[in-house]
Amino acid sequence: MDNNSGNPAKLNTVGIRLNACGKTFPDGTRALEPVQLEINPGETVVLLGPSGCGKTTMLRIIAGLEQPDAGGQVFFGEQDVTPLPIEQRHVGMVFQSYALFPNMSVAENIAYGLKVRGMAEVEKKQRVVEMLSMMHLESFAERRIDQLSGGQRQRVALARALAVRPRVLLLDEPLTALDAKLRESLRAEIDRLLRSLKITAVYVTHDQSEAMALGDRIAVMEKGRIAQIGSPREIYYRPATRFVADFIGSMNRVQGMVDGESLQLPSGLLRVGPRVSNEVLFRPEDVRIVSNGEAQLQAKIVSAFFLGDHTRLILDVGNEQTITAETVDRREFKPGDIVPIAVDSEAILFLE
Amino acid sequence: MKPTHRESLRHIVLLLPALTIFSAFWLLPMARLVSVGASGEMGVSAYWAVITDPRYFSSLVSTIVLSATVTFATIIISGITGMFLQRNHFFGRRFLLATLTFPLAFPGVVVGFMVILLVGRQGVVGSVTEWLFGEKLVLAYSMAGLFLGYLYFSIPRVILTIMAAAEKLDGALEEAARSLGASPWQVVRDVMIPGLKPALISSGAICFATSMGAFGTAFTLATKINVLPITIYSEFTNYANFSLAAALSIVLGLITWLALALARSMAGSTVAAAA
Amino acid sequence: MKRSLRFYLQLAFTVVVCAFLVVPVVLSIMAGVTENFFVGIKSGLTFRWVVEVWTLYNKTIFLSIGIALATLAVTLLIGIPAAYVLARRQNRYTRWIEELIVLPVAVPGLATALALILLYGQFSGFRISWTFILVGHVLFTLPFMVRSVLAVMSAIDLKTLEDAAASLGASFTQRFFHVILPNCRQGILAGALMVVTLSMGEFNITWMLHTPLTMTLPVGLADSYASMRLEIGSAYTIVFFIMIIPLLVAMQWMSEPAKVKPRFLS
């Protein structure tokens, strides 16, 4: 079945193309608007969005667990896989709940995809050993699933999905069930894996830092549509819509009167550059605390939270508008104090 | 999520054997039973005979009264015993629990025989009363014997249900009530009984329905006791009055089904009938 | 530990209840091995009643075991697939089906038996065969099998496990035998024990359906209670106890560690 034995790093990976793939459920709800998406071979695309945005539905359509509405097509490379059920698509899938088979040991779980393909015993054993060592699971081969920790289970799930040398790897919120520390270390491990295998991967998550860390491109989804797709930098620094701006990181929004190249606020003049609008956006880390001479605004501290590596300030800039600022300044800020602040005009965004 | 077309087809195929057997051997025969019930001399009014004919009506009333009494007594007895066994751990508890589960698998006939051994002509109670008062106490072949028999098969079931429900009761509620100054009796009335209510209703309904339809016990004790299953049986076998037997058994089936359905809508949980 | 008076009162009550249940069982065991129960133990202990039961009724024992195993086979074959669909498809129709198949338990066995006789009694070959009883037992025990399996299937995330197996390339048949069945074996086993126990003890339906040539154990018991001396009835009851005790112990043992109880018993 598999023609490229030997080096696990060499996979027959293919690109994915979705053609007008929408999904309407029998009760009439539109889970996914007809969507167009092209994923290059070896690329990792993260589908990011709040629950109910359609990201899981899109993944399940790619997997073959869900049929797109009439007219939708899924291509793996040049092959139209739309009519194929998941078991014939040759994908690897990692589930949020791991979905490891409780009736099988770790090794049996990893071998399962090879077993149903009828792979010869010797070759199968060798592949399992290979996968176990790749995921650092050698000593767990004979364990039962309920004897594993969450992180170990996730690694078994990855090993099981990769053992069949899938054409694409699909990951459905694989780290959501884990605690924060473990999440971070497994994130690094998955990143290393995806880079070294150069496999086409679709990764669903609602966690933006996971998306930023892992995605070659991120598709931010909202209400069944792709709101924006781009590199993590593009998404963060040039959000296309308000939704994207608010969903990725946090964003300050300030309204005022346009005054030349500035925005007039009760606390001062915010320089925004030649393009002006009566509403501008900027990120908290772009707010700089400056000397009085450089100050654009004189903001009043509403509250100050010392968070160890930085301090978060809630600042009143007048007209009942507050902004958030983050600073690594070691000063002790007190509510009621006035701080002089400035925002570089390159950091300022305009959105309709 | 919506299953695919292929999946739907597969599911229908997998359901088919069970549905076919059920339809062929239960739904169809039941339809036949309903029509036979209306095919006698009295026609459809045979279904009313259970109310209009004093013989059948008295049989219905005594069955209902007996079943209701058994249910009530069972719940009181099992409530006390079940709560006690759930809350107290002492030497011999496991043994007592084991004696409770054993009779669960007894068919009605065996229960009837147990009653005969207890209060029948050669029963142990009779021997004791004869030795004490010079007269044998024999209850087995009357309503009292039936009552004891129905208690015998109801108590274990209800106790186990109550114990399972009591296990899930939040102990903190009781402690909260006591911290507010409630007496033990008030704790039972205001916290425990409301908490056990779904279990009490559902097990009570099962107990009632089982007693209504119990045939083996009554059959063993005496074929002369005037309860509905015995009446149906003798109409069918002794008088070959098929249509009336059919009509009466439909009425009986409706009553037991209704009791269970009603209890479920009240308790809001799965009330499943047990044999 | 000091116990209150209330404890001892409740204990006494509980002991009385247990005595009510267990004394007749002890009596029947004693009567079955006593020369003359009316005279008492002093008349001597004997196995002759048990031997007599064996010569009179051994056929009923084999028939009951045979019917119980056949019932088990049928309920496994039709019940597990049905439970699988009921677990996977939770909609109005499947809820209806779930309700429907419980009806033979909710409605008295007498009614089910009468209905079967009225519709199929004319087919004499079927009427006098043991399969007629088998049909009644299957109807009565099927809901227990379905519910027991369904309970386990609902407790595990069956759909995701199946999706995972499919993502690895397993066909439906492979998924069913490699993943679904092994992960439901608790429920299947509990259901199987339940089905066999209930079939062995079923009387209400069987009494109406049996013929003199198709007497099951409980039917034989009723016959012996009505027409034989008390000692024979008791000895026969001992035989019944011996047959169901292993089943009960197995059920108890199963329900304890895993906490997977069939919904009906608890």
Side-chain angles (χ1 to χ4, degrees):
Chain A
M1 182 98 206
D2 232 56
N3 42 22
N4 51 348
S5 46
N7 187 359
K10 275 209 185 117
L11 293 164
N12 233 341
T13 200
V14 292
I16 300 170
R17 186 152 55 88
L18 296 187
N19 218 346
C21 280
K23 184 72 194 174
T24 314
F25 286 116
D27 60 358
T29 48
R30 254 297 170 75
L32 194 64
E33 299 292 336
V35 72
Q36 206 66 35
L37 180 67
E38 179 119 30
I39 300 169
N40 302 317
E43 185 187 29
T44 301
V45 167
V46 176
L47 306 180
L48 174 68
S51 64
C53 69
K55 58 189 192 296
T56 296
T57 305
M58 200 197 284
L59 187 81
R60 292 175 67 88
I61 287 177
I62 296 172
L65 288 169
E66 216 65 73
Q67 279 292 310
D69 292 344
Q73 284 176 302
V74 184
F75 288 90
F76 281 5
E78 290 310 306
Q79 187 195 3
D80 181 358
V81 296
T82 322
L84 296 183
I86 183 169
E87 60 262 35
Q88 289 165 30
R89 288 196 185 183
H90 204 100
V91 296
M93 187 153 180
V94 177
F95 295 80
Q96 181 176 349
S97 58
Y98 320 122
L100 297 174
F101 308 127
N103 57 315
M104 302 179 197
S105 69
V106 167
E108 285 168 333
N109 261 282
I110 296 174
Y112 186 71
L114 308 171
K115 177 180 156 188
V116 298
R117 282 168 170 74
M119 187 185 260
E121 202 60 35
V122 184
E123 203 181 341
K124 193 169 78 184
K125 267 213 179 99
Q126 196 211 324
R127 182 79 65 87
V128 170
V129 168
E130 206 175 280
M131 297 317 296
L132 285 168
S133 84
M134 183 166 95
M135 297 311 298
H136 314 296
L137 287 164
E138 293 95 333
S139 50
F140 300 102
E142 298 313 315
R143 289 272 182 101
R144 281 207 323 271
I145 299 308
D146 55 14
Q147 294 169 314
L148 300 180
S149 71
Q152 288 160 351
R153 286 179 201 203
Q154 196 52 72
R155 297 216 300 272
V156 176
L158 271 165
R160 183 179 70 174
L162 290 169
V164 299
R165 300 203 172 143
R167 294 195 281 180
V168 299
L169 183 63
L170 309 171
L171 305 105
D172 186 7
E173 308 226 12
L175 302 180
T176 303
L178 301 171
D179 62 58
K181 264 233 170 82
L182 207 51
R183 209 148 57 209
E184 208 146 309
S185 73
L186 262 164
R187 191 167 79 193
E189 200 160 340
I190 291 177
D191 183 55
R192 173 183 64 80
L193 210 61
L194 294 179
R195 303 294 146 218
S196 67
L197 294 176
K198 296 189 175 59
I199 186 173
T200 311
V202 184
Y203 189 108
V204 163
T205 183
H206 64 265
D207 180 321
Q208 48 141 326
S209 56
E210 227 168 274
M212 300 285 228
L214 293 174
D216 293 321
R217 280 192 297 160
I218 298 174
V220 183
M221 297 192 59
E222 179 199 12
K223 293 183 186 145
R225 289 173 213 275
I226 295 180
Q228 186 179 3
I229 180 161
S231 72
R233 288 183 162 280
E234 282 168 344
I235 300 277
Y236 191 80
Y237 289 125
R238 285 198 299 281
T241 68
R242 275 164 191 277
F243 174 78
V244 176
D246 287 335
F247 192 77
I248 310 285
S250 38
M251 192 63 93
N252 288 310
R253 181 173 304 174
V254 170
Q255 291 180 340
M257 292 252 297
V258 178
D259 180 355
E261 293 196 350
S262 299
L263 210 57
Q264 197 180 8
L265 290 161
S267 51
L269 275 178
L270 186 66
R271 269 195 56 80
V272 293
R275 188 189 158 188
V276 283
S277 150
N278 69 337
E279 187 188 70
V280 298
L281 295 90
F282 48 88
R283 299 215 177 260
E285 67 269 24
D286 289 325
V287 178
R288 289 185 300 119
I289 294 172
V290 293
S291 65
N292 273 321
E294 289 178 80
Q296 296 172 351
L297 305 175
Q298 296 287 339
K300 189 171 148 196
I301 299 176
V302 179
S303 15
F305 304 99
F306 176 61
L307 298 172
D309 56 347
H310 68 275
T311 301
R312 181 176 300 147
L313 301 171
I314 310 292
L315 302 172
D316 185 347
V317 293
N319 282 350
E320 298 185 349
Q321 297 187 90
T322 56
I323 62 168
T324 306
E326 277 169 8
T327 174
V328 292
D329 200 316
R330 293 193 170 196
R331 235 181 303 170
E332 192 178 344
F333 297 93
K334 280 203 243 4
D337 288 357
I338 304 289
V339 282
I341 58 170
V343 180
D344 290 339
S345 52
E346 303 89 77
I348 286 184
L349 296 165
F350 306 91
L351 283 173
E352 298 317 312
Chain B
M1 303 243 165
K2 190 186 179 292
T4 59
H5 182 68
R6 188 200 313 252
E7 232 177 4
S8 298
L9 204 70
R10 182 187 300 141
H11 290 170
I12 290 171
V13 169
L14 290 174
L15 262 182
L16 218 54
L19 280 187
T20 311
I21 288 185
F22 182 76
S23 309
F25 294 112
W26 202 80
L27 285 182
L28 274 181
M30 272 296 154
R32 170 89 177 135
L33 191 67
V34 172
S35 76
V36 168
S39 70
E41 297 154 29
M42 288 186 279
V44 183
S45 61
Y47 285 104
W48 293 113
V50 72
I51 292 173
T52 53
D53 188 314
R55 243 183 332 148
Y56 305 134
F57 187 65
S58 79
S59 163
L60 174 69
V61 169
S62 58
T63 314
I64 291 180
V65 170
L66 174 67
S67 302
T69 318
V70 167
T71 304
F72 185 72
T74 303
I75 287 197
I76 304 270
I77 294 169
S78 311
I80 297 171
T81 315
M83 285 309 289
F84 174 73
L85 286 172
Q86 183 61 41
R87 287 297 155 84
N88 294 284
H89 291 261
F90 52 89
F91 179 76
R93 175 179 176 271
R94 281 185 70 91
F95 173 76
L96 291 182
L97 267 176
T99 66
L100 287 172
T101 38
F102 189 47
L104 271 178
F106 289 6
V109 269
V110 172
V111 173
F113 188 60
M114 297 293 115
V115 173
I116 290 176
L117 287 171
L118 209 56
V119 290
R121 271 183 284 277
Q122 294 172 313
V124 68
V125 171
S127 316
V128 172
T129 53
E130 189 177 31
W131 179 71
L132 279 175
F133 312 110
E135 198 174 328
K136 264 193 177 177
L137 179 66
V138 177
L139 296 170
Y141 316 99
S142 63
M143 274 292 179
L146 221 48
F147 175 78
L148 287 177
Y150 290 7
L151 270 189
Y152 192 95
F153 63 65
S154 303
I155 286 176
R157 247 173 229 132
V158 179
I159 287 184
L160 290 182
T161 313
I162 288 178
M163 286 183 67
E167 198 182 355
K168 292 193 194 97
L169 271 189
D170 184 1
L173 286 180
E174 246 173 86
E175 286 165 5
R178 280 166 55 191
S179 78
L180 294 166
S183 69
W185 165 241
Q186 284 167 325
V187 171
V188 169
R189 189 194 57 193
D190 300 330
V191 178
M192 275 152 70
I193 290 181
L196 292 175
K197 204 171 123 197
L200 294 177
I201 291 177
S202 68
S203 58
I206 292 171
C207 177
F208 179 79
T210 317
S211 303
M212 284 298 294
F215 171 65
T217 311
F219 181 81
T220 310
L221 289 178
T223 41
K224 304 235 166 31
I225 305 177
N226 185 22
V227 287
L228 212 45
I230 294 293
T231 310
I232 294 170
Y233 177 68
S234 56
E235 286 296 333
F236 187 80
T237 49
N238 301 347
Y239 310 112
N241 193 349
F242 295 165
S243 65
L244 199 86
L248 289 180
S249 58
I250 292 283
V251 171
L252 180 61
L254 276 178
I255 294 174
T256 58
W257 177 78
L258 219 76
L260 293 169
L262 209 69
R264 181 166 38 187
S265 72
M266 276 163 68
S269 65
T270 6
V271 177
Chain C
M1 184 156 61
K2 183 113 176 67
R3 310 274 199 180
S4 66
L5 175 67
R6 202 168 64 230
F7 171 83
Y8 288 107
L9 281 175
Q10 286 183 318
L11 179 63
F13 185 82
T14 303
V15 168
V16 169
V17 171
C18 291
F20 168 60
L21 296 171
V22 87
V23 162
V25 173
V26 173
L27 285 176
S28 74
I29 293 170
M30 274 165 51
V33 293
T34 309
E35 195 67 48
N36 185 333
F37 184 60
F38 198 63
V39 177
I41 297 280
K42 57 181 172 291
S43 66
L45 294 176
T46 177
F47 273 116
R48 64 181 259 236
W49 306 125
V50 179
V51 172
E52 199 153 329
V53 164
W54 182 257
T55 50
L56 282 170
Y57 292 111
N58 71 71
K59 276 198 191 119
T60 68
I61 296 165
F62 293 121
L63 183 64
S64 267
I65 294 175
I67 289 181
L69 293 179
T71 306
L72 176 60
V74 177
T75 51
L76 285 173
L77 279 176
I78 69 174
I80 296 173
Y84 166 76
V85 180
L86 296 184
R88 284 292 311 271
R89 302 291 283 270
Q90 280 165 356
N91 57 36
R92 198 160 8 118
Y93 304 108
T94 54
R95 269 193 294 277
W96 262 93
I97 291 171
E98 219 184 316
E99 293 289 303
L100 270 179
I101 60 168
V102 182
L103 280 176
V105 179
V107 161
L110 202 56
T112 300
L114 279 186
L116 276 171
I117 291 173
L118 289 173
L119 190 64
Y120 293 109
Q122 50 193 311
F123 305 104
S124 63
F126 182 36
R127 175 72 184 87
I128 60 169
S129 109
W130 64 277
T131 51
F132 200 48
I133 298 175
L134 173 67
V135 164
H137 284 207
V138 167
L139 290 174
F140 179 67
T141 55
L142 183 63
F144 294 91
M145 175 62 83
V146 170
R147 292 229 168 178
S148 176
V149 177
L150 190 54
V152 175
M153 285 182 169
S154 318
I156 58 177
D157 189 353
L158 193 67
K159 177 155 170 48
T160 309
L161 283 183
E162 214 195 312
D163 284 350
S167 79
L168 295 165
S171 68
F172 176 71
T173 322
Q174 289 171 323
R175 303 200 288 268
F176 194 79
F177 287 102
H178 296 159
V179 175
I180 297 167
L181 282 189
N183 286 304
C184 297
R185 56 173 188 268
Q186 283 275 352
I188 295 171
L189 206 59
L193 284 169
M194 197 79 179
V195 165
V196 171
T197 312
L198 288 171
S199 170
M200 295 277 270
E202 212 299 320
F203 177 77
N204 292 358
I205 298 177
T206 319
W207 178 257
M208 302 296 293
L209 301 184
H210 90 278
T211 67
L213 290 175
T214 55
M215 246 200 223
T216 65
L217 207 164
V219 170
L221 279 172
D223 181 74
S224 76
Y225 296 156
S227 55
M228 300 286 163
R229 44 185 305 162
L230 188 77
E231 289 83 353
I232 292 186
S234 299
Y236 201 178
T237 310
I238 295 177
V239 173
F240 175 73
F241 288 162
I242 290 171
M243 291 178 65
I244 61 159
I245 283 174
L247 294 168
L248 284 173
V249 170
M251 261 198 261
Q252 197 85 10
W253 174 79
M254 269 210 61
S255 66
E256 262 170 21
K259 292 275 174 206
V260 186
K261 284 182 193 170
R263 286 191 219 168
F264 278 63
L265 256 184
S266 52

